[in-house]
Amino acid sequence: MKKKSKLAEMIKNNYLKSLHSLKQKKFSKILLKWRGQNNFDSLYPWRNSKNRYYVLLSEILLKKTTRKQVASEWSNITSRCNDFNDLQNIDLRKLKKVLKPLGLEHTRSKHLKDLSKKILADFNGKVPGTKKELLSLPGVGPYTANAVLCFAFGHDVSMLDVNILRVIKRVFSLDEKNSREAIDMHLWEFAEKLPPAGKGKEFNYAILDFASEVCTAKNPKCSECPVNKICNFVN
């Protein structure tokens, strides 16, 4: 009886995994189609650049700050700090003043100063291209590292911030574990399966914009959401 019970449970789990996999693929396909009709790249100048410094800079600036705020200050910041040498050479007080409109200028300026110093010393002034190297940089965590790998180097890697987390938890009814570490591991493993091969950059921009424009924290636009037919939050 125990063997039959274990076999039945295994069959059930494999079946559920198969259904989950199909839903993940459908979700990704719908979001890519939505992005084709709702492309916001022109609003955010770092998205249209192949400059890896700009990609890394934007990710540091976007922490706890809206994209619109960063976009409004982008030209002023990059005119003063157009590469790692500029960051290293600018006076700390001047850097804080440049970053002040975004808030957190004391923390950001220190991270940018320390980051530029390390990149100039250890990576010949170039943004490193491995996750291990990126994580060695001041102010860079798993999300920022994956964002740079995706947007600067074209890797099909997943990203997971509070906004993306909100979307996938709603759509797939994901359960949280008890500890922060367990939550991260549980959800990162799930998120890693979402970016389609060769479409990582497009998919990650799609889900970021979708979270901002449709699947918002308050008053999500469920009635006009392209994912509502497969979303567990709605059904």
Side-chain angles (χ1 to χ4, degrees), residues 185-204:
M185 287 298 296
H186 173 62
L187 295 171
W188 273 107
E189 286 174 5
F190 184 91
E192 284 172 0
K193 301 173 184 177
L194 292 175
K199 297 283 186 178
K201 184 176 181 179
E202 291 298 305
F203 173 79
N204 283 319

Side-chain angles (χ1 to χ4, degrees), residues 96-139:
K96 288 180 181 179
K97 188 175 181 179
V98 171
L99 299 177
K100 190 173 182 178
L102 300 181
L104 300 174
E105 63 271 18
H106 300 292
T107 303
R108 285 190 223 273
S109 58
K110 184 180 187 308
H111 281 163
L112 288 173
K113 277 285 189 181
D114 292 344
L115 180 148
S116 61
K117 181 178 180 180
K118 185 170 180 63
I119 287 180
L120 289 168
D122 297 349
F123 300 106
N124 198 30
K126 297 180 180 180
V127 177
T130 70
K131 189 166 185 175
K132 182 178 180 180
E133 290 171 332
L134 286 165
L135 289 172
S136 74
L137 301 176

Side-chain angles (χ1 to χ4, degrees), residues 26-38:
K26 191 168 186 178
F27 171 73
S28 299
K29 184 177 181 180
I30 291 171
L31 278 197
L32 287 173
K33 182 178 179 180
W34 179 84
R35 173 169 162 76
Q37 302 165 343
N38 299 271

Side-chain angles (χ1 to χ4, degrees), residues 27 30-31 171 210 224-232 234-235:
F27 171 73
I30 291 171
L31 278 197
V171 175
F210 179 76
E224 56 190 82
C225 173
V227 188
N228 59 20
K229 291 183 179 179
I230 63 168
C231 179
N232 291 352
V234 177
N235 300 304

